[in-house]
Amino acid sequence: MIHWNSLAEFLAMGRHGPYVWGSLLVMALLMVAEPMLLLQGRKRLIARLRRQYRAEAAERGQAAAGGRSTANGSND
Amino acid sequence: MKPRHKRIALILGGLAILAVAATLVLNAFRSNLVFFFSPTQVAAGEAPQGKSFRIGGMVKEGSLQRQPDGVTLRFVVTDTEKDMTVAYKGILPDLFQEGKGVVAQGKLAADGIFTASEVLAKHDENYMPPEAAKAVGDAHERAAANKAAAEAAARTTRP
Amino acid sequence: MSNKLINWFRYASPQTFYPLAGRMIPWFWGLAAIFGVAGLGIGFLLAPTDAQQGEGYRIIFLHVPASWMSMFIYLVMAFWAATGLAFNTRLSGMMASALAPTGALFAFLSLWTGALWGKPMWGTWWVWDARLTSELILLFLYIGFIALQAAIDDPRRADKAGAILALVGVVNIPIIYFSVKWWNTLHQGASVSLTKAPSMAAMMLWGMLLCALACWMYSIAVALMRVRVIMLERERHTDWVRALLAGRE
């Protein structure tokens, strides 16, 4: 059923090995890299937004605390 | 860099890319929209004179031969109506074969021989295993033989 | 009728689409994996040798799906761009932006695999024929779209500008598709089209169609992932994003 008689024959692709595997390798690499980069970007964005929300919450908290403390914008 | 400057730089970059793209389009479509000429078109004088251009067609069966100098190859490109002899020094691509498509770039010499600097193979869109290809080829041969036989028969029976 | 319309617009709002997309992504990844394994298995292990090109023709199982996707994604992107201009829905612009990088990826892969296929078969990495040139222009259109959107800070204006570019560039798609018919090209004609029986052995055809399906599923999964990131970024001042990020996720 399988077309190839040996692994060496499969890898050689009838003298066209470098072309065939060069195509498959680059395509596979890029199609793995794209979702990985997206996941990483998503993680970074979520972390950034959470920091920003905490900072805003802290600011609001200080503003609500009113005149008692000086609202100098420092947080954490 | 201020955001405004960044924006201007990016827009300029975008415009530059578009300009490059437009130049490529125009250039390609001006000189290469006709990627190759057939021998019939060349015979009709449609190909550029005295300039390099490409011809395309089939390599005529049995026409490939090595010249006495040992490096120059000669073959005939045909579109079934007109033929054109091509001379080429160099390595032919894997798919170059008699009876198959070819595109050659070069100049037409005064003696009517097309001197090629580059020869590319043009294959068709059919993909099939060798056995199937052989079956198709045999069928074609049989059909041709039948046709020839029928024509011969028609000739002999005609008064 | 009005019910349906309301439903549609409900799903078109980022707030409802975000979790829906999140639930769909794993399914599309699963389908992509199944189709990919099946297609590559058939293409690289089971399919017979090609009579003309020997084993090197197996690049077709990568090249044709990548090329199809590069054109199809552009059409979908232009569709979202048009609905964005027509109905001014927030989701449309986000979908168009989410599709562009994946389309650019496939356009690049089409050119890359094409070059590696052209060298051994035709005898050249590249020629300026109508098919190859118009595919290169497609890559530039994607890059231009991405750069244009990146250059404009206001997302709504970026969407509009990008949409106009996407719609203008749509003329290139029929040019790519029909280039091999309209002009003399080194590239051969279509092996598979709607108007005639495919000129490929069945096993080769199945391998190619399964690989193409895998690329479809991959594109949907990645586009949904990216549209979720874009939604968080653009809707960061809304209550639903705040509530979402206040949670466990």
Side-chain angles (χ1 to χ4, degrees):
Chain A
M1 189 63 172
I2 287 193
H3 174 71
W4 310 96
N5 297 316
S6 70
L7 183 66
E9 196 186 300
F10 174 62
L11 292 177
M13 281 281 157
R15 291 188 300 115
H16 293 140
Y19 302 104
V20 174
W21 300 122
S23 298
L24 184 64
L25 189 75
V26 170
M27 188 147 173
L29 275 180
L30 290 181
M31 285 175 77
V32 169
E34 192 189 11
M36 297 291 242
L37 287 173
L38 269 173
L39 279 179
Q40 204 186 19
R42 177 185 157 79
K43 239 190 203 160
R44 268 212 303 269
L45 175 69
I46 287 176
R48 197 185 85 209
L49 290 182
R50 284 206 168 124
R51 268 201 308 280
Q52 192 185 322
Y53 293 157
R54 268 203 303 277
E56 284 168 14
E59 238 168 67
R60 266 200 306 278
Q62 280 182 344
R68 274 182 294 145
S69 69
T70 50
N72 57 7
S74 73
N75 46 46
D76 275 7
Chain B
M1 230 182 347
K2 279 186 203 159
R4 197 159 57 88
H5 290 162
K6 194 179 146 203
R7 191 159 66 234
I8 290 170
L10 278 167
I11 289 173
L12 284 179
L15 283 176
I17 289 174
L18 273 183
V20 169
T23 316
L24 287 177
V25 183
L26 292 176
N27 188 40
F29 280 21
R30 186 170 48 84
S31 59
N32 290 308
L33 199 53
V34 176
F35 185 68
F36 59 78
F37 296 90
S38 66
T40 306
Q41 286 174 308
V42 177
E46 285 174 40
Q49 308 284 323
K51 256 175 64 184
S52 174
F53 64 94
R54 294 191 191 85
I55 61 160
M58 291 279 182
V59 183
K60 200 171 190 173
E61 296 278 359
S63 73
L64 179 67
Q65 44 179 287
R66 198 169 282 277
Q67 292 308 105
D69 66 2
V71 283
T72 310
L73 297 161
R74 273 200 187 186
F75 54 90
V76 174
V77 173
T78 179
D79 56 6
T80 68
E81 279 181 31
K82 293 266 197 246
D83 291 357
M84 185 168 230
T85 304
V86 175
Y88 176 61
K89 283 182 206 180
I91 299 161
L92 294 169
D94 285 12
L95 286 191
F96 182 93
Q97 236 183 325
E98 290 180 348
K100 297 284 180 194
V102 70
V103 173
Q105 170 143 35
K107 275 185 184 170
L108 193 58
D111 56 0
I113 289 176
F114 188 85
T115 312
S117 55
E118 186 183 32
V119 172
L120 304 175
K122 177 171 162 63
H123 60 80
D124 60 36
E125 65 274 25
N126 298 309
Y127 298 91
M128 58 181 101
E131 313 85 67
K134 190 170 177 309
V136 170
D138 290 351
H140 273 297
E141 267 171 37
R142 272 200 304 279
N146 285 344
K147 201 175 155 222
E151 276 170 6
R155 266 200 301 279
T156 49
T157 52
R158 202 172 293 144
Chain C
M1 182 230 133
S2 62
N3 245 348
K4 259 185 192 153
L5 210 65
I6 288 164
N7 260 341
W8 199 87
F9 275 109
R10 206 173 80 84
Y11 284 112
S13 95
Q15 185 175 354
T16 38
F17 192 78
Y18 183 91
L20 183 70
R23 279 198 302 277
M24 292 193 296
I25 288 169
W27 291 97
F28 285 111
W29 277 124
L31 288 173
I34 292 168
F35 289 135
V37 168
L40 290 175
I42 291 177
F44 281 79
L45 296 178
L46 303 182
T49 312
D50 177 58
Q52 278 189 90
Q53 307 190 15
E55 307 300 349
Y57 92 95
R58 287 175 204 277
I59 295 177
I60 201 174
F61 300 113
L62 311 168
H63 177 75
V64 170
S67 309
W68 280 351
M69 285 320 296
S70 71
M71 291 191 278
F72 187 71
I73 288 177
Y74 196 94
L75 288 180
V76 178
M77 190 176 99
F79 164 79
W80 283 113
T83 53
L85 284 181
F87 303 114
N88 213 19
T89 43
R90 277 182 298 170
L91 183 65
S92 306
M94 297 184 192
M95 288 301 276
S97 308
L99 284 163
T102 306
L105 173 79
F106 280 117
F108 169 77
L109 285 173
S110 165
L111 295 170
W112 174 264
T113 54
L116 284 170
W117 197 2
K119 184 62 185 169
M121 299 305 166
W122 297 341
T124 182
W125 303 102
W126 177 264
V127 288
W128 293 98
D129 84 347
R131 170 57 74 81
L132 277 68
T133 307
S134 53
E135 180 73 22
L136 180 66
I137 289 165
L138 180 66
L139 177 60
F140 282 137
L141 279 171
Y142 278 124
I143 294 173
F145 178 90
I146 295 166
L148 183 66
Q149 291 218 312
I152 301 171
D153 288 332
D154 175 18
R156 304 300 289 242
R157 279 177 52 214
D159 280 350
K160 280 223 172 77
I164 291 164
L165 176 63
L167 286 176
V168 170
V170 128
V171 295
N172 191 39
I173 299 298
I175 291 181
I176 298 176
Y177 189 79
F178 292 110
S179 55
V180 290
K181 277 196 188 155
W182 290 346
W183 299 294
N184 285 338
T185 53
L186 184 60
H187 197 287
Q188 71 282 8
S191 298
V192 178
S193 77
L194 296 175
T195 50
K196 65 174 176 71
S199 50
M200 283 178 93
M203 180 87 87
M204 300 172 178
L205 184 65
W206 276 111
M208 197 171 89
L209 293 180
L210 283 167
C211 284
L213 266 178
C215 286
W216 267 58
M217 297 301 128
Y218 168 90
S219 303
I220 296 173
V222 169
L224 288 178
M225 281 172 76
R226 189 174 288 112
V227 87
R228 272 163 57 97
V229 176
I230 294 172
M231 280 173 179
L232 288 183
E233 167 90 52
R234 288 206 192 169
E235 307 259 309
R236 61 186 182 276
H237 301 301
T238 61
D239 289 336
W240 74 268
V241 174
R242 282 170 191 277
L244 191 81
L245 293 193
R248 285 174 291 110
E249 206 193 0

PDB file of all heavy atoms in Angstrom, chain B residues 4 13 15 19 28 40 46 53 76 79 84 86 89 95 98 111 113 116 125 133 136 138 151:
ATOM      1  N   ARG B   4       2.921  61.322  15.422  1.00  0.00           N
ATOM      2  CA  ARG B   4       2.539  61.883  14.124  1.00  0.00           C
ATOM      3  C   ARG B   4       3.620  61.581  13.087  1.00  0.00           C
ATOM      4  O   ARG B   4       3.336  61.194  11.957  1.00  0.00           O
ATOM      5  CB  ARG B   4       2.354  63.390  14.256  1.00  0.00           C
ATOM      6  CG  ARG B   4       1.585  64.034  13.105  1.00  0.00           C
ATOM      7  CD  ARG B   4       1.016  65.352  13.544  1.00  0.00           C
ATOM      8  NE  ARG B   4       2.083  66.228  14.028  1.00  0.00           N
ATOM      9  CZ  ARG B   4       2.795  67.040  13.232  1.00  0.00           C
ATOM     10  NH1 ARG B   4       2.550  67.090  11.944  1.00  0.00           N
ATOM     11  NH2 ARG B   4       3.746  67.796  13.723  1.00  0.00           N
ATOM     12  N   GLY B  13       6.021  54.693   3.893  1.00  0.00           N
ATOM     13  CA  GLY B  13       6.457  53.321   3.636  1.00  0.00           C
ATOM     14  C   GLY B  13       5.410  52.560   2.841  1.00  0.00           C
ATOM     15  O   GLY B  13       5.726  51.866   1.872  1.00  0.00           O
ATOM     16  N   LEU B  15       3.091  53.813   0.914  1.00  0.00           N
ATOM     17  CA  LEU B  15       3.037  54.332  -0.459  1.00  0.00           C
ATOM     18  C   LEU B  15       4.197  53.792  -1.282  1.00  0.00           C
ATOM     19  O   LEU B  15       4.024  53.446  -2.456  1.00  0.00           O
ATOM     20  CB  LEU B  15       3.071  55.863  -0.443  1.00  0.00           C
ATOM     21  CG  LEU B  15       1.758  56.535  -0.052  1.00  0.00           C
ATOM     22  CD1 LEU B  15       1.930  58.037   0.014  1.00  0.00           C
ATOM     23  CD2 LEU B  15       0.664  56.164  -1.053  1.00  0.00           C
ATOM     24  N   ALA B  19       3.964  51.784  -4.645  1.00  0.00           N
ATOM     25  CA  ALA B  19       4.633  52.265  -5.859  1.00  0.00           C
ATOM     26  C   ALA B  19       5.450  51.140  -6.476  1.00  0.00           C
ATOM     27  O   ALA B  19       5.414  50.922  -7.690  1.00  0.00           O
ATOM     28  CB  ALA B  19       5.528  53.459  -5.524  1.00  0.00           C
ATOM     29  N   ALA B  28       5.772  44.382 -15.793  1.00  0.00           N
ATOM     30  CA  ALA B  28       5.489  43.005 -16.186  1.00  0.00           C
ATOM     31  C   ALA B  28       4.464  42.969 -17.306  1.00  0.00           C
ATOM     32  O   ALA B  28       4.599  42.214 -18.262  1.00  0.00           O
ATOM     33  CB  ALA B  28       4.999  42.209 -14.985  1.00  0.00           C
ATOM     34  N   THR B  40       4.384  30.549 -35.174  1.00  0.00           N
ATOM     35  CA  THR B  40       3.500  31.204 -36.142  1.00  0.00           C
ATOM     36  C   THR B  40       3.532  32.718 -35.967  1.00  0.00           C
ATOM     37  O   THR B  40       3.602  33.470 -36.941  1.00  0.00           O
ATOM     38  CB  THR B  40       2.058  30.686 -35.957  1.00  0.00           C
ATOM     39  OG1 THR B  40       2.074  29.270 -36.034  1.00  0.00           O
ATOM     40  CG2 THR B  40       1.141  31.251 -37.019  1.00  0.00           C
ATOM     41  N   GLU B  46       5.294  39.193 -35.497  1.00  0.00           N
ATOM     42  CA  GLU B  46       4.754  39.813 -34.289  1.00  0.00           C
ATOM     43  C   GLU B  46       5.795  39.933 -33.187  1.00  0.00           C
ATOM     44  O   GLU B  46       5.623  40.705 -32.232  1.00  0.00           O
ATOM     45  CB  GLU B  46       3.560  38.989 -33.766  1.00  0.00           C
ATOM     46  CG  GLU B  46       2.307  39.180 -34.595  1.00  0.00           C
ATOM     47  CD  GLU B  46       1.194  38.243 -34.151  1.00  0.00           C
ATOM     48  OE1 GLU B  46       1.037  38.054 -32.933  1.00  0.00           O
ATOM     49  OE2 GLU B  46       0.504  37.699 -35.023  1.00  0.00           O
ATOM     50  N   PHE B  53      13.666  37.839 -27.064  1.00  0.00           N
ATOM     51  CA  PHE B  53      12.281  37.500 -26.709  1.00  0.00           C
ATOM     52  C   PHE B  53      12.182  36.011 -26.468  1.00  0.00           C
ATOM     53  O   PHE B  53      13.175  35.285 -26.588  1.00  0.00           O
ATOM     54  CB  PHE B  53      11.306  37.966 -27.807  1.00  0.00           C
ATOM     55  CG  PHE B  53      11.505  37.288 -29.137  1.00  0.00           C
ATOM     56  CD1 PHE B  53      10.766  36.149 -29.469  1.00  0.00           C
ATOM     57  CD2 PHE B  53      12.420  37.782 -30.050  1.00  0.00           C
ATOM     58  CE1 PHE B  53      10.945  35.521 -30.697  1.00  0.00           C
ATOM     59  CE2 PHE B  53      12.601  37.161 -31.271  1.00  0.00           C
ATOM     60  CZ  PHE B  53      11.864  36.031 -31.598  1.00  0.00           C
ATOM     61  N   VAL B  76      13.882  21.526 -32.765  1.00  0.00           N
ATOM     62  CA  VAL B  76      12.863  22.281 -33.490  1.00  0.00           C
ATOM     63  C   VAL B  76      11.678  22.525 -32.571  1.00  0.00           C
ATOM     64  O   VAL B  76      11.183  21.585 -31.932  1.00  0.00           O
ATOM     65  CB  VAL B  76      12.422  21.526 -34.760  1.00  0.00           C
ATOM     66  CG1 VAL B  76      11.258  22.243 -35.435  1.00  0.00           C
ATOM     67  CG2 VAL B  76      13.594  21.386 -35.719  1.00  0.00           C
ATOM     68  N   ASP B  79       4.498  24.713 -33.328  1.00  0.00           N
ATOM     69  CA  ASP B  79       3.136  24.862 -32.812  1.00  0.00           C
ATOM     70  C   ASP B  79       2.188  24.126 -33.755  1.00  0.00           C
ATOM     71  O   ASP B  79       1.023  24.492 -33.877  1.00  0.00           O
ATOM     72  CB  ASP B  79       2.757  26.337 -32.636  1.00  0.00           C
ATOM     73  CG  ASP B  79       2.908  27.132 -33.921  1.00  0.00           C
ATOM     74  OD1 ASP B  79       3.187  26.527 -34.976  1.00  0.00           O
ATOM     75  OD2 ASP B  79       2.763  28.365 -33.880  1.00  0.00           O
ATOM     76  N   MET B  84      10.424  26.112 -35.890  1.00  0.00           N
ATOM     77  CA  MET B  84      11.529  27.036 -35.722  1.00  0.00           C
ATOM     78  C   MET B  84      12.689  26.276 -35.097  1.00  0.00           C
ATOM     79  O   MET B  84      12.513  25.576 -34.101  1.00  0.00           O
ATOM     80  CB  MET B  84      11.083  28.166 -34.813  1.00  0.00           C
ATOM     81  CG  MET B  84      12.120  29.229 -34.677  1.00  0.00           C
ATOM     82  SD  MET B  84      11.363  30.631 -33.884  1.00  0.00           S
ATOM     83  CE  MET B  84      11.860  31.870 -34.979  1.00  0.00           C
ATOM     84  N   VAL B  86      15.981  25.908 -32.932  1.00  0.00           N
ATOM     85  CA  VAL B  86      16.594  26.599 -31.806  1.00  0.00           C
ATOM     86  C   VAL B  86      17.973  26.013 -31.562  1.00  0.00           C
ATOM     87  O   VAL B  86      18.143  24.790 -31.565  1.00  0.00           O
ATOM     88  CB  VAL B  86      15.730  26.430 -30.538  1.00  0.00           C
ATOM     89  CG1 VAL B  86      16.419  27.040 -29.332  1.00  0.00           C
ATOM     90  CG2 VAL B  86      14.361  27.049 -30.735  1.00  0.00           C
ATOM     91  N   LYS B  89      23.357  26.376 -26.066  1.00  0.00           N
ATOM     92  CA  LYS B  89      24.509  25.802 -25.365  1.00  0.00           C
ATOM     93  C   LYS B  89      24.208  25.864 -23.887  1.00  0.00           C
ATOM     94  O   LYS B  89      24.105  26.952 -23.321  1.00  0.00           O
ATOM     95  CB  LYS B  89      25.769  26.643 -25.630  1.00  0.00           C
ATOM     96  CG  LYS B  89      26.393  26.429 -26.981  1.00  0.00           C
ATOM     97  CD  LYS B  89      27.657  27.268 -27.104  1.00  0.00           C
ATOM     98  CE  LYS B  89      27.939  27.587 -28.556  1.00  0.00           C
ATOM     99  NZ  LYS B  89      29.131  28.378 -28.751  1.00  0.00           N
ATOM    100  N   LEU B  95      12.631  18.344 -17.218  1.00  0.00           N
ATOM    101  CA  LEU B  95      11.405  17.988 -17.922  1.00  0.00           C
ATOM    102  C   LEU B  95      11.476  18.241 -19.423  1.00  0.00           C
ATOM    103  O   LEU B  95      10.508  18.065 -20.138  1.00  0.00           O
ATOM    104  CB  LEU B  95      10.216  18.759 -17.347  1.00  0.00           C
ATOM    105  CG  LEU B  95       9.717  18.280 -15.990  1.00  0.00           C
ATOM    106  CD1 LEU B  95       8.400  18.929 -15.674  1.00  0.00           C
ATOM    107  CD2 LEU B  95       9.584  16.773 -15.947  1.00  0.00           C
ATOM    108  N   GLU B  98      11.325  15.583 -25.966  1.00  0.00           N
ATOM    109  CA  GLU B  98      10.707  15.706 -27.284  1.00  0.00           C
ATOM    110  C   GLU B  98       9.214  15.436 -27.152  1.00  0.00           C
ATOM    111  O   GLU B  98       8.796  14.535 -26.434  1.00  0.00           O
ATOM    112  CB  GLU B  98      11.361  14.713 -28.252  1.00  0.00           C
ATOM    113  CG  GLU B  98      12.791  15.118 -28.600  1.00  0.00           C
ATOM    114  CD  GLU B  98      13.456  14.148 -29.547  1.00  0.00           C
ATOM    115  OE1 GLU B  98      12.918  13.057 -29.752  1.00  0.00           O
ATOM    116  OE2 GLU B  98      14.526  14.492 -30.087  1.00  0.00           O
ATOM    117  N   ASP B 111      19.996  33.923 -40.102  1.00  0.00           N
ATOM    118  CA  ASP B 111      19.756  32.689 -40.851  1.00  0.00           C
ATOM    119  C   ASP B 111      18.470  31.980 -40.411  1.00  0.00           C
ATOM    120  O   ASP B 111      18.220  30.844 -40.814  1.00  0.00           O
ATOM    121  CB  ASP B 111      20.959  31.745 -40.715  1.00  0.00           C
ATOM    122  CG  ASP B 111      21.283  31.447 -39.249  1.00  0.00           C
ATOM    123  OD1 ASP B 111      20.564  31.971 -38.368  1.00  0.00           O
ATOM    124  OD2 ASP B 111      22.238  30.703 -38.994  1.00  0.00           O
ATOM    125  N   ILE B 113      17.694  30.948 -37.462  1.00  0.00           N
ATOM    126  CA  ILE B 113      17.849  30.067 -36.300  1.00  0.00           C
ATOM    127  C   ILE B 113      17.754  30.900 -35.030  1.00  0.00           C
ATOM    128  O   ILE B 113      18.339  31.985 -34.927  1.00  0.00           O
ATOM    129  CB  ILE B 113      19.193  29.303 -36.376  1.00  0.00           C
ATOM    130  CG1 ILE B 113      19.097  28.268 -37.494  1.00  0.00           C
ATOM    131  CG2 ILE B 113      19.505  28.624 -35.047  1.00  0.00           C
ATOM    132  CD1 ILE B 113      20.358  27.514 -37.735  1.00  0.00           C
ATOM    133  N   ALA B 116      19.210  30.495 -28.359  1.00  0.00           N
ATOM    134  CA  ALA B 116      18.634  30.633 -27.025  1.00  0.00           C
ATOM    135  C   ALA B 116      19.713  30.804 -25.970  1.00  0.00           C
ATOM    136  O   ALA B 116      20.769  30.189 -26.035  1.00  0.00           O
ATOM    137  CB  ALA B 116      17.793  29.408 -26.704  1.00  0.00           C
ATOM    138  N   GLU B 125      -0.972  20.318 -17.226  1.00  0.00           N
ATOM    139  CA  GLU B 125      -1.613  20.259 -15.916  1.00  0.00           C
ATOM    140  C   GLU B 125      -2.103  18.854 -15.576  1.00  0.00           C
ATOM    141  O   GLU B 125      -2.901  18.684 -14.672  1.00  0.00           O
ATOM    142  CB  GLU B 125      -2.769  21.264 -15.857  1.00  0.00           C
ATOM    143  CG  GLU B 125      -3.943  20.981 -16.793  1.00  0.00           C
ATOM    144  CD  GLU B 125      -3.755  21.546 -18.189  1.00  0.00           C
ATOM    145  OE1 GLU B 125      -2.591  21.727 -18.610  1.00  0.00           O
ATOM    146  OE2 GLU B 125      -4.770  21.787 -18.848  1.00  0.00           O
ATOM    147  N   ALA B 133      -0.277   7.019 -17.682  1.00  0.00           N
ATOM    148  CA  ALA B 133       0.248   7.831 -18.787  1.00  0.00           C
ATOM    149  C   ALA B 133       0.538   6.946 -19.994  1.00  0.00           C
ATOM    150  O   ALA B 133       0.262   7.311 -21.135  1.00  0.00           O
ATOM    151  CB  ALA B 133       1.520   8.544 -18.333  1.00  0.00           C
ATOM    152  N   VAL B 136      -2.687   6.055 -21.675  1.00  0.00           N
ATOM    153  CA  VAL B 136      -3.196   7.174 -22.475  1.00  0.00           C
ATOM    154  C   VAL B 136      -2.396   7.288 -23.770  1.00  0.00           C
ATOM    155  O   VAL B 136      -2.953   7.432 -24.859  1.00  0.00           O
ATOM    156  CB  VAL B 136      -3.115   8.493 -21.665  1.00  0.00           C
ATOM    157  CG1 VAL B 136      -3.412   9.680 -22.567  1.00  0.00           C
ATOM    158  CG2 VAL B 136      -4.093   8.450 -20.510  1.00  0.00           C
ATOM    159  N   ASP B 138      -0.685   4.943 -25.339  1.00  0.00           N
ATOM    160  CA  ASP B 138      -1.018   3.828 -26.231  1.00  0.00           C
ATOM    161  C   ASP B 138      -2.347   4.076 -26.936  1.00  0.00           C
ATOM    162  O   ASP B 138      -2.476   3.824 -28.138  1.00  0.00           O
ATOM    163  CB  ASP B 138      -1.096   2.517 -25.431  1.00  0.00           C
ATOM    164  CG  ASP B 138       0.283   2.080 -24.945  1.00  0.00           C
ATOM    165  OD1 ASP B 138       1.268   2.715 -25.388  1.00  0.00           O
ATOM    166  OD2 ASP B 138       0.357   1.146 -24.130  1.00  0.00           O
ATOM    167  N   GLU B 151      -8.120   6.382 -43.247  1.00  0.00           N
ATOM    168  CA  GLU B 151      -7.850   7.290 -44.364  1.00  0.00           C
ATOM    169  C   GLU B 151      -7.322   6.521 -45.566  1.00  0.00           C
ATOM    170  O   GLU B 151      -7.722   6.762 -46.709  1.00  0.00           O
ATOM    171  CB  GLU B 151      -6.849   8.373 -43.924  1.00  0.00           C
ATOM    172  CG  GLU B 151      -7.542   9.529 -43.220  1.00  0.00           C
ATOM    173  CD  GLU B 151      -6.538  10.467 -42.578  1.00  0.00           C
ATOM    174  OE1 GLU B 151      -5.321  10.284 -42.776  1.00  0.00           O
ATOM    175  OE2 GLU B 151      -6.993  11.382 -41.861  1.00  0.00           O
TER     176      GLU B 151
END
